[in-house]
Amino acid sequence: GFYHYKDKLSNKAADQNTMPASTPAGKMISVHGDDALSEKLVQTLKRLNYPHQQIVDSSWTGLQINDAQLRLSNGLPASYWGGDVAVFDWPVSGEENIALAWSISSTSSKQWQKDAEIWLSMLGFIPKKIADTPALVVARTIAMLINEAADVVQQGVCTAAAVDAAMKLGVNYPKGPFEWLADWNAQSVIEVLDNLDHYYRGERYRASPWLRHLVWRESKT
């Protein structure tokens, strides 16, 4: 049979009566990064009327409240960073109120463990806490799909357009692997794969040479 989960996934944590202890008076709120996601965070904070600054040349994407951080996953577990750090998954859909996996550093304070989830809710997500796993769920899955698709193209099996068409028409994916790659970038995908490879070891997460060559080509233009 069929079941509709819309009511079960309501974003209750964003209720105005549930506000994180770290908002916002007396706190420095910073948006890190210069991409579509960081721009979405900026627009959300403006809508919430939260004073903030943007650090466009940061090495990571996400939100910082004083020393606490909400970081977009780059393949490393939250506990790698230590302190008050939460890592959230790749939000592949631009829609509001989508489920989003996240994890918390084992060294985070109890207060940040509560506040991180509330911040994610206020930013328009439905946070789903999972174990502190490298690359969480979506980042790992999408990076692996892109990587396999890159190998297929490199081996001359078919074109990138054909891969996208096959995955959308044959498997009913909302986007093809190379369309997801265009939404992010090859460097981010390789970073996730390399961090997974470093964590687990073995050949499973070996980044495709096709992706590495793409990064090199882009760096020369």
Side-chain angles (χ1 to χ4, degrees), residues 71-99:
R71 302 177 70 110
L72 177 67
S73 176
N74 71 341
L76 292 170
S79 296
Y80 171 87
W81 307 105
D84 283 344
V85 173
V87 172
F88 61 94
D89 216 341
W90 288 5
V92 295
S93 171
E95 300 176 3
E96 293 292 327
N97 296 328
I98 61 168

